[in-house]
Amino acid sequence: MPTYFRKTIKILPWVTLNLNKTGASLSIGPKGAKLNISKKGVYFNTSIPGTGVYNKTKVGAALLWGLGTTVLIGALGYYLGISLQNFNLFVVMCVVAIVAGIAAFFIAKHFSKTVTVEEGEEEEEETKPKKRSTSKTKNTKTSKEAKSSSKTSPKDSKRAGNASAKAYISEVERLVDVMAEAETVEALNKAHSEILDIMYTNIKPLGVKVFGMEFDEAMQTIEKDYAEGLKQLS
């Protein structure tokens, strides 16, 4: 039977390390405004606790450079200010951190735009319309070919059904990962609701296995993960 793992480790105030079967992610910030860093990218998660309002925005490279520069210089200023007991130095370093972060943001944004424009020009050259051929290849289909293309054999129907089942199973597995990485109860409930909809509407009628388990056993595992997620987020 598949094993699921979820663990949250508090490193510093407002800094947590999240571990699950898909890998690790780092969350920075207070509840309701967290920056999540994982192999899938960098996302800024905002929510209003108790209202169900939740938003997840992917952070661009330019903004990440700006925030990173500001945090790095700000942390250096904090360390120097504390070690030298110089509050004025700390204030100056904070101002420098903000200015440097803004500068890093615009510089990174400028270079990203330049690269995008150059790549777009190359793609435009590659995708220029070619001269149409005067041959009549499009009209060479025979009536036999047209009839054969319209027919669907039992094997084709079975393959289509298997493809649909695989798609539903893959979506359930993806949503289980989303549920494991949820930062708020609202996000957890949303993923859980979508899983239930697919399981009862699509998976159960097809009679296929999920995670190598029968329907009832798979549902027990999903509900166990959901309960564990609620416990950790509450």
Side-chain angles (χ1 to χ4, degrees):
M1 184 176 70
T3 302
Y4 297 92
F5 175 73
R6 178 187 172 93
K7 181 72 175 178
T8 301
I9 303 172
K10 186 176 182 180
I11 301 174
L12 293 170
W14 293 359
V15 180
T16 57
L17 179 65
N18 310 305
L19 304 173
N20 55 61
K21 74 182 187 73
T22 60
S25 65
L26 188 68
S27 296
I28 304 171
K31 188 174 182 180
K34 288 189 178 183
L35 190 71
N36 186 267
I37 304 171
S38 67
K39 64 181 181 179
K40 296 180 181 179
V42 181
Y43 292 88
F44 186 60
N45 303 320
T46 56
S47 64
I48 303 176
T51 63
V53 178
Y54 174 78
N55 182 57
K56 185 175 183 179
T57 305
K58 189 168 185 178
V59 178
L63 182 57
L64 189 60
W65 272 101
L67 289 173
T69 303
T70 302
V71 171
L72 183 62
I73 299 177
L76 179 62
Y78 176 79
Y79 174 76
L80 292 175
I82 294 297
S83 60
L84 300 176
Q85 295 183 352
N86 190 332
F87 180 74
N88 292 331
L89 176 61
F90 172 66
V91 173
V92 171
M93 289 295 289
C94 286
V95 174
V96 172
I98 294 171
V99 174
I102 295 172
F105 169 75
F106 282 107
I107 291 171
K109 191 173 183 180
H110 171 72
F111 278 106
S112 64
K113 279 185 178 180
T114 303
V115 172
T116 303
V117 170
E118 288 178 354
E119 290 178 351
E121 289 176 352
E122 290 177 0
E123 289 178 0
E124 186 177 352
E125 290 179 359
E126 291 177 358
T127 56
K128 281 183 178 179
K130 297 180 181 180
K131 291 182 179 179
R132 293 184 178 180
S133 174
T134 56
S135 62
K136 299 180 180 179
T137 54
K138 291 183 179 180
N139 299 323
T140 57
K141 280 190 175 182
T142 63
S143 59
K144 289 183 179 180
E145 289 174 343
K147 289 180 180 179
S148 61
S149 63
S150 63
K151 291 181 179 180
T152 304
S153 64
K155 288 184 178 180
D156 292 335
S157 300
K158 187 176 180 180
R159 288 172 184 171
N162 291 337
S164 298
K166 288 180 180 178
Y168 292 132
I169 292 170
S170 298
E171 182 63 10
V172 169
E173 291 175 348
R174 185 190 71 81
L175 288 168
V176 167
D177 291 340
V178 171
M179 195 167 62
E181 296 176 358
E183 296 290 335
T184 64
V185 175
E186 290 80 8
L188 179 69
N189 288 337
K190 182 180 178 182
H192 179 251
S193 177
E194 291 179 6
I195 290 172
L196 294 183
D197 183 51
I198 296 173
M199 289 293 291
Y200 282 101
T201 306
N202 305 108
I203 299 294
K204 190 174 182 179
L206 290 172
V208 295
K209 292 184 178 181
V210 182
F211 313 126
M213 297 179 286
E214 297 296 340
F215 180 83
D216 292 338
E217 189 179 0
M219 282 301 305
Q220 289 177 4
T221 303
I222 291 168
E223 292 303 321
K224 184 179 178 181
D225 286 351
Y226 174 64
E228 181 66 22
L230 284 176
K231 183 179 177 181
Q232 293 193 16
L233 292 173
S234 61

